[in-house]
Amino acid sequence: MKIICYKKCTTCKGVEKMLEEKNISYDYRDIKEENPSASELKQWHEKTQLPIKRFFNTSGKIYRENNIKDKLTQMSNDEAYELLATDGMLVKRPILFTDDGEIFVGPDVKKYIESL
């Protein structure tokens, strides 16, 4: 498994703890240090079929300060991918990639781990 998180995020810390308690090994990618690219985001969005808004950290400071909520409805998916790729703090986390190719975003990560 691979997980994309932010070290200071309490949700991410909780997910990491759950993985460790279940003795599940995983690779860790810090979203602040290695922000997803627009092409990665496009691939993940298309694979999950989630609404593009689910990839935005809607409770984040950057999202709120830039009034992205109002802008998002007017953006194409490609514009959204480019915007998300500008700063890891805009991207919803955690993002979990299972060994069998599934991708889970945000609260779905915890639900998936609980089901294991």
Side-chain angles (χ1 to χ4, degrees), residues 8-106:
K8 295 181 181 179
C9 171
T10 56
T11 303
C12 290
K13 288 178 186 178
V15 164
E16 282 188 271
K17 184 177 179 183
M18 289 173 68
L19 288 168
E20 289 164 10
E21 287 172 352
K22 291 183 177 263
N23 293 316
I24 299 171
S25 62
Y26 60 94
D27 293 323
Y28 184 93
R29 176 174 164 183
D30 189 324
I31 201 162
K32 183 84 170 153
E33 294 176 16
E34 191 181 345
N35 189 46
S37 68
S39 62
E40 285 177 309
L41 290 155
K42 179 179 182 175
Q43 179 185 11
W44 303 339
H45 175 240
E46 289 174 351
K47 181 161 178 91
T48 62
Q49 295 294 301
L50 292 169
I52 190 64
K53 185 176 180 179
R54 288 281 309 275
F55 284 86
F56 279 87
N57 178 12
T58 57
S59 60
K61 182 178 178 182
I62 297 170
Y63 184 89
R64 291 190 320 264
E65 285 179 353
N66 291 290
N67 212 17
I68 294 172
K69 177 184 176 184
D70 296 332
K71 297 174 185 175
L72 195 53
T73 58
Q74 306 302 318
M75 274 185 213
S76 69
N77 283 342
D78 286 336
E79 290 170 324
Y81 305 142
E82 290 297 329
L83 178 59
L84 285 164
T86 64
D87 193 315
M89 296 296 96
L90 273 174
V91 181
K92 185 71 171 173
R93 55 201 181 260
I95 303 173
L96 178 75
F97 304 85
T98 67
D99 293 336
D100 60 358
E102 291 182 282
I103 301 171
F104 297 92
V105 179

